[in-house]
Amino acid sequence: MDLKVICALSIILVVALSTLADGKTPPTRCQCKLAPRERRNCGYPGISAVDCRKAGCCFNASVPGVPWCFAPKPKRVRKVCPNDSYARINCGFPGITAKDCERKGCCFRPHPAGVPWCFYHRVVEE
């Protein structure tokens, strides 16, 4: 291929990827369950439902006088120690004590052999 063609394709690819990165994940139904008085505006006057959701916001036009495009509730997350011993990501060093591991904010389970005993939590959505 000609160098000019490769450069042009590269620019098109970068522009396409940057526009994909701008879109946010749509909120869950649970995140959009807000009392109308609790809604914080997330759009502009006349925004469509599609554009609102593309921006990662909730849309509900059923209540007049309040924002129809509004910010979702934040996702609820919690830390858990993974049950699968092979999903553990090492947080310590060989011979670390349970106390030292937990001081680092990590999980400690001294079994089975061959996997980290001191390992990071996983974050899960509720």
Side-chain angles (χ1 to χ4, degrees), residues 30-120:
C30 215
Q31 287 179 279
C32 292
K33 286 186 180 181
L34 285 167
R37 68 180 183 284
E38 295 175 358
R39 294 180 183 179
R40 287 183 306 112
N41 196 2
C42 191
Y44 50 85
I47 190 171
S48 70
V50 172
D51 288 339
C52 178
R53 289 188 185 105
K54 279 183 185 175
C57 303
C58 302
F59 189 88
N60 182 337
S62 66
V63 182
V66 296
W68 290 357
C69 181
F70 54 96
K73 289 190 264 186
K75 288 184 179 180
R76 292 178 51 184
V77 295
R78 63 186 169 96
K79 289 181 177 181
V80 295
C81 295
N83 289 328
D84 181 8
S85 58
Y86 293 98
R88 296 177 181 179
I89 299 173
N90 197 0
C91 181
F93 51 86
I96 191 170
T97 65
K99 191 175 184 178
D100 287 339
C101 178
E102 289 165 1
R103 261 193 219 129
K104 292 178 72 167
C106 297
C107 303
F108 186 84
R109 289 199 187 124
H111 51 77
V115 296
W117 289 2
C118 181
F119 50 96
Y120 290 102

Side-chain angles (χ1 to χ4, degrees), residues 16-35:
L17 289 176
S18 68
T19 55
L20 285 175
D22 288 344
K24 298 183 179 180
T25 58
T28 63
R29 215 182 279 166
C30 215
Q31 287 179 279
C32 292
K33 286 186 180 181
L34 285 167

